[in-house]
Amino acid sequence: MQWLMTILHVETVTELWWVLFGLSAQLMFTARFLLQWIASERAKNSVMPVAFWYFSLAGGVMLLIYALYRKDPVFVLGQALGVVIYVRNLWLIYANRRANNAVSD
């Protein structure tokens, strides 16, 4: 495990776990872009699947937690705003679905 700590420039196991948490949060963002790209390629049109917003929310919350741990105010503000936007988009999607279901009933 020491080789991993050296590569990631951490000195304690706690720091190692936080960096691994931050990396997994970043992977969430990578997954959302891959998901959006694949969905758009299949549709031959720009598509934003609902799962994109769930990956965004998960990655945003995880990165916000990581930023809070690192005490980085710029990173905290950026991620906090993103989380609000992701939640709002999911809210709009489900509100629209409820309205459409009510109309069709």
Side-chain angles (χ1 to χ4, degrees):
M1 181 155 15
Q2 188 59 42
W3 63 272
L4 184 58
M5 292 174 67
T6 301
I7 290 171
L8 296 176
H9 304 286
V10 297
E11 296 179 10
T12 68
V13 173
T14 300
E15 285 180 325
L16 175 62
W17 282 111
W18 275 110
V19 170
L20 293 174
F21 180 83
L23 288 171
S24 64
Q26 193 58 52
L27 285 173
M28 288 294 223
F29 277 102
T30 302
R32 76 187 183 138
F33 285 121
L34 291 173
L35 177 76
Q36 191 275 332
W37 181 25
I38 291 166
S40 294
E41 289 295 330
R42 286 182 178 165
K44 301 291 185 219
N45 190 17
S46 183
V47 174
M48 194 67 64
V50 175
F52 176 90
W53 297 111
Y54 282 111
F55 277 105
S56 299
L57 181 59
V61 168
M62 290 171 72
L63 283 172
L64 178 58
I65 292 167
Y66 182 70
L68 289 167
Y69 167 75
R70 303 291 294 179
K71 298 178 183 157
D72 184 330
V74 174
F75 198 18
V76 168
L77 287 173
Q79 291 307 313
L81 177 60
V83 167
V84 169
I85 292 167
Y86 308 143
V87 168
R88 179 64 177 151
N89 274 284
L90 284 166
W91 183 285
L92 292 171
I93 289 166
Y94 286 105
N96 189 25
R97 284 185 181 174
R98 280 192 303 274
N100 288 340
N101 287 339
V103 169
S104 65
D105 287 341

